[in-house]
Structures are given as C-alpha cells and as structure tokens.
Amino acid sequence: QVQLVESGGGLVQAGGSLRLSCVASGSIFSISVMQWYRQAPGKQREVVATITSNGGTYSADSVKGRFTISRDNAKNTVYLQMNSLKPEDTAIYYCNIRGPRPDMNYWGKGTLVTVSS
C-alpha cells in the first residue's frame, strides 16, 4: 500500500504562483509514473501533468508554459510548479502514482488551489 500526501495549495491572486508537493510512502516511487490531476467544481477530474520514471514530462495544453512537473526520487516527492495562475485553474489538485503492476494505482486526498481574479 502506498500513501500520498499533497501540500502547497492555497489562495493566490491571478498571475501568482504556487508549488504543490506530493510525498509518497513505500518503495515503488522511483519506478512509477507520477501524475497531477485536478477537479474543478462541477467538472470531471482531468490530468494536468505527467512525469515518467525516467523523467519524461507531459502537460495538458491548458497549462503548457505555465506549469512544470518534476520529481525527486531521493525524497519520494513529486512537485507541480504553477506560474501565471488563472481563475480557471481553481480546483482540487490530486497526486496519482502508477506502479509497474495494474493494481499499483493510488491517489492522494487532494489539495485545494483557489485563484482569485
């Protein structure tokens, strides 16, 4: 069992920045794909950014050029640096880890990001 704990959310004005962190327990972090998802009120959860076990990154078109995902395997931590935040970025942000087996798929409880205009 893997536990994920997100932190770093909060209230920020449009144009501001936040850095989210997600710390994972267990021993599969370095061999896992890490993702950040978000879910805005009344909307479906969507993937924001992905980082593979070897460091390859992918971002949703809506956040390209503004958000950066990174990982520190020594700390079992994945980060999401969010710059130039917009009100439409307001959502609960969730961390997800996918290990090498299909049953290795775990979620954090989320951290709320609110961007005021």
Side-chain angles (χ1 to χ4, degrees):
Q1 186 77 7
V2 174
Q3 292 188 336
L4 301 172
V5 179
E6 302 102 331
S7 62
L11 174 64
V12 64
Q13 288 188 332
S17 298
L18 285 173
R19 188 176 82 154
L20 306 183
S21 300
C22 172
V23 180
S25 65
S27 59
I28 67 169
F29 181 86
S30 64
I31 58 173
S32 298
V33 174
M34 301 298 301
Q35 293 183 300
W36 284 99
Y37 283 75
R38 68 184 180 187
Q39 187 166 17
K43 294 189 176 181
Q44 288 189 332
R45 192 173 296 190
E46 62 177 358
V47 63
V48 174
T50 301
I51 185 164
T52 64
S53 58
N54 61 7
T57 61
Y58 309 89
S59 299
D61 288 343
S62 58
V63 305
K64 274 181 182 174
R66 300 188 299 121
F67 291 9
T68 302
I69 189 171
S70 62
R71 66 191 297 161
D72 185 337
N73 289 341
K75 296 182 178 180
N76 274 20
T77 302
V78 63
Y79 304 98
L80 186 68
Q81 178 66 44
M82 305 186 295
N83 299 327
S84 302
L85 282 160
K86 304 176 181 180
E88 51 263 44
D89 295 318
T90 295
I92 299 174
Y93 283 71
Y94 298 91
C95 179
N96 174 263
I97 182 171
R98 288 191 285 123
R101 294 198 323 255
D103 61 322
M104 293 179 172
N105 188 350
Y106 304 97
W107 293 88
K109 294 183 178 181
T111 185
L112 177 63
V113 172
T114 304
V115 185
S116 63
S117 57

